[in-house]
Amino acid sequence: MTDPTYWTSVPGPLGPLLLTAAPTGELTSVSVPGQKGGREVRDDWRRDPGPFREAEEQLTAYFAGELKEFHLAWRAEGTAFREKVWDALDDIPYGSTVTYGEIAARIGAPRAAVRAVGGAIGANPLLVVRPCHRVIGADGALTGYAGGLDRKVRLLTHEGVLPA
């Protein structure tokens, strides 16, 4: 028998956020409705808001404009390459953007790896808290966002990157 996955739903301006956590309490995913590759509640999961109190408080503060950096215990599992890309997301400051090419350079990947970087960013299981919405195309275009471009626009507007 495998360890249970805990889950809860938190209301927010992007729609209800589905949060999952490991039995040890680390946040393992944040998904929005209709997200490409997002998680959906399974029958063997346990609904329990207990492990998510801190995440819910920080998400509420973020959306209220009172928090610029998340301080949560999380565990995202992926390939070594994906984990390196996801770690690079953590270094993008609130209210700023970087390009996929800049992420590739930060992790020491060749310029030709930009598509692979984009794929890894698209597979980020921790939307909002790991700011993949802050990554844009080399020409400044708001390319790709697993949660939908409308949500990417909302997040970047919230952070002051785009005009309200």
Side-chain angles (χ1 to χ4, degrees), residues 55 70 83 89 94 112 125 130 133 141 150-154:
F70 290 93
E83 289 181 11
L89 296 175
Y94 180 96
R130 273 206 145 150
H133 59 277
D150 58 325
R151 289 185 177 114
K152 184 172 190 162
V153 167
R154 289 182 75 174

Side-chain angles (χ1 to χ4, degrees), residues 2 4-5 42-46:
T2 60
T5 295
R42 295 182 13 187
D43 290 339
D44 60 337
W45 290 4
R46 293 185 188 166

Side-chain angles (χ1 to χ4, degrees), residues 25-26 30 48 53 57 91 96 105 116 122 130 153 160:
E26 295 105 337
V30 177
D48 180 358
R53 284 191 179 87
E57 285 178 17
D91 296 329
S96 64
R130 273 206 145 150
V153 167

Side-chain angles (χ1 to χ4, degrees), residues 60-162:
T60 299
Y62 168 80
F63 287 120
E66 301 164 357
L67 181 80
K68 294 185 178 1
E69 190 176 322
F70 290 93
H71 299 281
L72 297 167
W74 62 56
R75 181 174 67 194
E77 295 178 0
T79 65
F81 179 79
R82 282 185 173 182
E83 289 181 11
K84 194 184 268 193
V85 170
W86 297 339
D87 287 344
L89 296 175
D90 298 336
D91 296 329
I92 308 169
Y94 180 96
S96 64
T97 58
V98 301
T99 66
Y100 293 91
E102 288 173 297
I103 294 291
R106 286 181 185 188
I107 66 166
R111 181 87 179 122
V114 169
R115 289 182 70 87
V117 166
I121 291 170
N124 170 27
L126 294 160
L127 289 193
V128 184
V129 299
R130 273 206 145 150
C132 53
H133 59 277
R134 297 178 188 155
V135 183
I136 60 173
D139 61 357
L142 302 182
T143 58
Y145 187 62
L149 283 180
D150 58 325
R151 289 185 177 114
K152 184 172 190 162
V153 167
R154 289 182 75 174
L155 289 166
L156 292 175
T157 301
H158 170 73
E159 293 187 9
V161 173
L162 299 175

